[in-house]
Amino acid sequence: MDKILEGLVSSSHPLPLKRMIVRKVVESAEHWLDEAQCEAMFDLTTRLILEGQDPFQRQVGHQVLEAYARYHRPEFESFFNKTFVLGLLQQGYHSLDRKDVAILDYIHNGLKLIMSCPSVLDLFSLLQVEVLRMVCERPEPLLCARLSDLLTDFVQCVPKGKLSITFCQQLVRTIGHFQCVSTQEKELREYVSQVTKVSNLLQNIWKAEPSTLLPSLQEVFASISSTDASFEPSVALASLVQHIPLQMITVLIRSLTTDPNVKDASMTQALCRMIDWLSWPLAQHVDTWVIALLKGLAAVQKFTILIDVTLLKIELVFNRLWFPLVRPGALAVLSHMLLSFQHSPEAFHVIVPHIVNLVHSFRSDGLPSSTAFLVQLTELVHCMMYHYSGFPDLYEPILEAVKDFPKPSEEKIKLILNQSAWTSQSNALASCLSRLSGKSETGKTGLINLGNTCYMNSVLQALFMATEFRRQVLSLNLNGCNSLMKKLQHLFAFLAHTQREAYAPRIFFEASRPPWFTPRSQQDCSEYLRFLLDRLHEEEKILRVQSSHKPSEGLGCAEPCLQEVTSKVESPGTGDSEKTLIEKMFGGKLRTHICCLNCGSTSHKVEAFTDLSLAFCPSPSVEDLSFQDPAPLPNTQDDGLMQTSVTDLEEEPIVYNPATAAFVCDSVANQRLSGSPPVEFHRDENSSVPEESPKILTSKDGAQNPGGESTTSVTDLLNYFLAPEVLTGENQYYCENCASLQNAEKTMQITEEPEYLILTLLRFSYDQKYHVRRKILDNVSLPLVLELPVKRTASFSSLSQSWSVDVDFTDINENLPKKLKPSGTEEAFCPKLVPYLLSSVVVHSGVSSESGHYYSYARNITGTESSYQMCPQSENLSLTPSQSCLLGGESPNTVIDQDLENKEMSQEWFLFNDSRVTFTSFQSVQKITSRFPKDTAYVLLYKKQSRANGVRSDNPASGVWVNGDPPLQKELMDAITKDNKLYLQEQELNARARALQAASTSCSFRPNGFDDNDPPGSCGPTGGGGGGGFNTVGRLVF
């Protein structure tokens, strides 16, 4: 019979004739057949079902199989066994892939045919394992929907016990991977239908086994809170929301918002993606959950998250109002977001340009639902315009568009606004408002701008927030000294203990200003920082020498103060007690190795540094051109720390010009293309600022910009800094062994790491063609955790001391692995990854070094925090392209970076903008350039992490340390006490003066000192564009 059927379906007979013969074959199924005939018939019909060339053949296969399986059940039970089904699921059928939906449909029908047979129990056990495997393979929506149909009809195939929890979690992950690339309505409807089937399956499992619900929801949150930029969870997860009992809202939201393990970055991502769910057409209660989460975050005062999410998503929510299916939920979320965002009009003004078009469109359709919607929207708009009055040019078109709709009364508007605010009018919003925050709110003190001194203020605040350095400075016994270190100690003491909102560092400014800095003009903060550290270092060396000869004379500093300086700190990895405090805190060592490519002879040099100047990678499109790069060298020296003597082997010393200290030649592309002659920067012999050195890049080492158009990371710049360079052409190396100029390979390794790693991003460039200084505005992602490769040597005494380090830069992209081919000299080094945490960031706002504004982000980091140990998969800095991934949201390590935020209380971020000090977040630091293109990270401070840090010395005999800081010397404490009393008197007098003024004049609504003409990047009160992105607040009239 099987031969007849096979010949029939492949014949060219008319279709009606075929159908009639097939009917006869089906009727003959009730006749007796031996086992071999049955198996042949089952095999043929299976082949027709799975591999039929047309719908007729597949239909015939189904009809005949069902008939013969019904009348010959034992034979079909023997045919449709565990081995056969397992082979279909794991290997497929002939040319049919195992993931083809036809196989799953065939198994589904087969289960129906043997449902009453005992062997079906074995198949159920098999399928419980196989469906879990299938889900773990992330099937496509269609296959997953067919699998859901099977499991809905045969619940016995659903994994049981602990496997049921795993199955639900994996099914949630699978939904998170669903995507629909089609934009056709038919395909979209099919996609929604498939997703609905899968979500209904989960609902059935949750009802049958309630213990699976919470782990499933945890998996949902894990998916939507992921900060991995390479994975974007599907909006299809919204289909699960309608199946979550509303009674669980309160418990779940409270659990989420109070869980210390849920970081702000993860919560922000989760909230943003839940808002994206508003676009899912059939989802119910999404708006309820979104609003509940917004309220929960407000209840625990997570205002930074609320502000970031509102500004990011408010326009998307508004655009959802155009779609009738999701309009009610979108309007509810929009109303809550706008009415609760009461500290700034920024969110409302984002949607203002779109309101008029929306109103006109809905008025023209004349539908009752549209009219009811416009009444609600009009009420919302009136509330917002009432709260943020003073923008008639923006609001007049809106008022004209909604004039025919009822306007709520003033009392109702006030009631709505009062009920919707995140909090009552209290200091709870101090952590997110970009306004003047007193020390009572942030616990920090600002520095008054003395006239374009923001370059100094930003650096001093960064140094003050370097916890270990601050503690050592404050613990020094400097009574009787009149040194710069004494003035720095005085400044730090006032920043730590004064009750003033801001302190004027006039004395320190006059003492620390470089002689070539013109007063009241903008200067380079990196150049100032190098000069300051150099002064402190050299001063301590001089005091030490004078103390050894005249302990009670010299500069009037007693010997104990020098002993304090030299004995307080022991740098890990060295017992050198002769180091100065600056060396111990900021000093590292850099080893340069040059290998002649002709004879293989090598030269070595080890020098000290206090900061590394990181150049940006050159353009990938330019080849076979050389240039002279005046990039500042790390602050290095031979036997000291601060003086730099950086020359090539056979070149004459060059003179340093302070005016060009922080500038590197314009981008390599511009220099090479222009063909302009290189500009030489000269260094004065007495200058303490780093010198530039020439360098040549060869054509064949030209590489592409890392990541294409992606954001460059600090890791990329460090890799570029440490990448080997081939010295060719005009930059050939004079080999003493060859007695001639030869091509050579130059490599650099850090051989001793500093306690605080200072990185300067060389953003200021000199355009050779137009003879102007420009700023490189490229965004650079800042890793919260950085691992610095340190290659220690057994002994430095054997290294050549005949030449100085010539720090230059080479490409790091696709040709980097070739450049990093190890040489024989590198076998003596033992690489070690030293972990660092980001401590502070100095930001420059503007387009040149002669103008703009500086401000800094910083946080407290102690030397014994466990953040790094808690997160071992932190950012790896290594010289391989696969590990030098971008950290600006493009790498999975971003999750780790952002998860470290707020790990401990000591990791709270602050924004120091001259007199203003505000709370902020690491997200604000990361986003500053994307929000304000002229505001770019310039100087970075990283703190080395170690389990046992020898920097701190808690001496009970010297008093009790407050918040980890040492007690102040009596002279300092008396000065601070006197100033605090004076400050209280000033406050009382000011309060009385304000009271008298209020009685005689009208109240001004403009905050004192704020000027609408202050640009975001100026040195005025609103300068800097920081504060978590709320720079507009100070420029508004309420």
Side-chain angles (χ1 to χ4, degrees), residues 261-468:
N261 296 319
V262 179
K263 303 306 171 189
D264 286 359
S266 299
M267 184 63 74
T268 301
Q269 285 282 28
L271 184 53
C272 287
R273 286 163 176 159
M274 286 181 68
I275 292 173
D276 292 339
W277 290 353
L278 291 170
S279 60
W280 188 256
L282 300 181
Q284 300 177 13
H285 311 310
V286 171
D287 57 316
T288 305
W289 282 93
V290 170
I291 293 174
L293 184 54
L294 291 170
K295 290 181 177 179
L297 291 171
V300 295
Q301 300 182 0
K302 297 272 181 84
F303 301 119
T304 301
I305 297 177
L306 293 171
I307 293 171
D308 289 345
V309 171
T310 300
L311 295 177
L312 187 64
K313 292 296 182 179
I314 193 71
E315 190 170 9
L316 180 144
V317 176
F318 181 85
N319 290 334
R320 294 294 175 265
L321 299 177
W322 291 94
F323 305 100
L325 280 177
V326 298
R327 185 182 302 150
L331 180 60
V333 173
L334 180 73
S335 299
H336 180 82
M337 293 175 77
L338 287 178
L339 291 172
S340 60
F341 198 90
Q342 295 189 14
H343 69 281
S344 165
E346 191 172 359
F348 178 53
H349 287 179
V350 168
I351 69 167
V352 161
H354 312 297
I355 293 177
V356 173
N357 290 336
L358 184 73
V359 172
H360 288 326
S361 176
F362 281 91
R363 287 188 65 177
S364 61
D365 64 23
L367 297 176
S369 59
S370 298
T371 303
F373 160 73
L374 287 177
V375 170
Q376 299 178 58
L377 180 64
T378 299
E379 183 177 277
L380 171 64
V381 169
H382 277 296
C383 289
M384 301 312 298
M385 291 189 296
Y386 174 86
H387 189 60
Y388 298 118
S389 59
F391 300 91
D393 55 326
L394 295 177
Y395 298 160
E396 283 179 359
I398 299 176
L399 289 173
E400 180 65 24
V402 301
K403 63 182 180 181
D404 295 332
F405 295 95
K407 178 182 178 180
S409 64
E410 184 175 354
E411 290 74 17
K412 184 177 182 180
I413 291 177
K414 290 181 178 179
L415 179 62
I416 293 174
L417 290 172
N418 290 335
Q419 291 175 344
S420 304
W422 283 331
T423 65
S424 58
Q425 299 303 314
S426 66
N427 290 336
L429 275 174
S431 61
C432 59
L433 291 184
S434 179
R435 58 181 178 82
L436 182 63
S437 299
K439 191 169 182 179
S440 60
E441 296 172 312
T442 64
K444 304 297 177 184
T445 303
L447 288 172
I448 296 174
N449 193 312
L450 305 177
N452 284 322
T453 59
C454 56
Y455 67 89
M456 176 188 70
N457 291 346
S458 59
V459 165
L460 291 178
Q461 293 286 17
L463 292 176
F464 177 80
M465 294 296 286
T467 307
E468 301 300 338

Side-chain angles (χ1 to χ4, degrees), residues 632-649:
L633 200 72
N635 211 5
T636 59
Q637 69 168 21
D638 268 345
D639 53 356
L641 179 72
M642 292 298 154
Q643 291 185 352
T644 336
S645 177
V646 183
T647 61
D648 204 72
L649 294 177

Side-chain angles (χ1 to χ4, degrees), residues 650-695:
E650 301 297 326
E651 292 182 359
E652 293 296 323
I654 57 178
V655 181
Y656 172 74
N657 181 1
T660 61
F663 294 89
V664 58
C665 280
D666 200 17
S667 67
V668 177
N670 290 339
Q671 292 183 46
R672 296 179 175 180
L673 290 174
S674 66
S676 301
V679 174
E680 295 185 2
F681 292 110
H682 301 286
R683 179 183 187 277
D684 184 42
E685 192 172 347
N686 297 324
S687 174
S688 59
V689 191
E691 138 188 38
E692 285 89 15
S693 59
K695 161 188 71 159

Side-chain angles (χ1 to χ4, degrees), residues 215-226:
S216 300
L217 298 183
Q218 291 172 341
E219 192 63 42
V220 172
F221 184 78
S223 295
I224 64 176
S225 63
S226 171

Side-chain angles (χ1 to χ4, degrees), residues 480-493:
C481 289
N482 191 29
S483 62
L484 184 61
M485 182 66 78
K486 172 65 176 179
K487 294 178 174 62
L488 180 63
Q489 184 186 62
H490 186 275
L491 174 63
F492 279 6

Side-chain angles (χ1 to χ4, degrees), residues 555-828:
L555 295 178
C557 183
E559 185 175 356
C561 81
L562 298 174
Q563 294 174 348
E564 286 282 347
V565 173
T566 57
S567 64
K568 280 284 183 181
V569 183
E570 286 295 333
S571 179
T574 178
D576 187 6
S577 61
E578 296 301 315
K579 286 187 175 182
T580 66
L581 177 61
I582 301 303
E583 287 177 293
K584 293 169 183 175
M585 289 288 98
F586 304 101
K589 289 185 179 179
L590 190 69
R591 175 182 181 270
T592 301
H593 165 89
I594 292 185
C595 176
C596 177
L597 297 181
N598 182 45
C599 67
S601 63
T602 61
S603 298
H604 305 274
K605 179 66 176 180
V606 175
E607 289 187 331
F609 68 88
T610 54
D611 72 305
L612 299 178
S613 297
L614 306 183
F616 285 75
C617 304
S619 170
S621 60
V622 185
E623 298 184 355
D624 293 314
L625 293 171
S626 63
F627 72 99
Q628 193 169 17
D629 186 358
L633 200 72
N635 211 5
T636 59
Q637 69 168 21
D638 268 345
D639 53 356
L641 179 72
M642 292 298 154
Q643 291 185 352
T644 336
S645 177
V646 183
T647 61
D648 204 72
L649 294 177
E650 301 297 326
E651 292 182 359
E652 293 296 323
I654 57 178
V655 181
Y656 172 74
N657 181 1
T660 61
F663 294 89
V664 58
C665 280
D666 200 17
S667 67
V668 177
N670 290 339
Q671 292 183 46
R672 296 179 175 180
L673 290 174
S674 66
S676 301
V679 174
E680 295 185 2
F681 292 110
H682 301 286
R683 179 183 187 277
D684 184 42
E685 192 172 347
N686 297 324
S687 174
S688 59
V689 191
E691 138 188 38
E692 285 89 15
S693 59
K695 161 188 71 159
I696 291 179
L697 294 181
T698 60
S699 63
K700 304 210 171 163
D701 288 332
Q704 297 179 358
N705 192 15
E709 297 179 357
S710 302
T711 302
T712 304
S713 70
V714 173
T715 302
D716 296 327
L717 301 184
L718 268 170
N719 283 338
Y720 185 54
F721 176 85
L722 295 173
E725 179 191 5
V726 179
L727 304 177
T728 61
E730 295 180 355
N731 202 28
Q732 279 188 318
Y733 163 69
Y734 182 84
C735 177
E736 294 182 355
N737 189 41
C738 299
S740 62
L741 293 173
Q742 297 291 338
N743 292 344
E745 183 185 59
K746 178 160 63 175
T747 58
M748 293 185 295
Q749 297 106 13
I750 297 172
T751 59
E752 183 175 324
E753 72 280 5
E755 280 297 312
Y756 284 93
L757 176 65
I758 301 177
L759 303 176
T760 301
L761 310 186
L762 297 178
R763 291 193 173 276
F764 301 113
S765 61
Y766 185 82
D767 191 325
Q768 301 277 1
K769 184 175 181 180
Y770 298 100
H771 302 289
V772 294
R773 294 187 176 97
R774 303 185 187 277
K775 180 179 178 182
I776 301 173
L777 296 173
D778 294 356
N779 190 12
V780 177
S781 65
L782 310 177
L784 194 60
V785 180
L786 187 67
E787 288 188 334
L788 188 70
V790 179
K791 297 187 178 181
R792 303 185 184 279
T793 57
S795 174
F796 292 143
S797 60
S798 62
L799 300 178
S800 172
Q801 299 289 334
S802 61
W803 56 278
S804 300
V805 179
D806 184 10
V807 179
D808 44 12
F809 309 91
T810 55
D811 295 299
I812 65 167
N813 302 312
E814 59 198 27
N815 295 322
L816 182 58
K818 180 178 180 181
K819 293 183 181 181
L820 292 179
K821 183 177 180 180
S823 60
T825 58
E826 294 176 346
E827 296 176 358

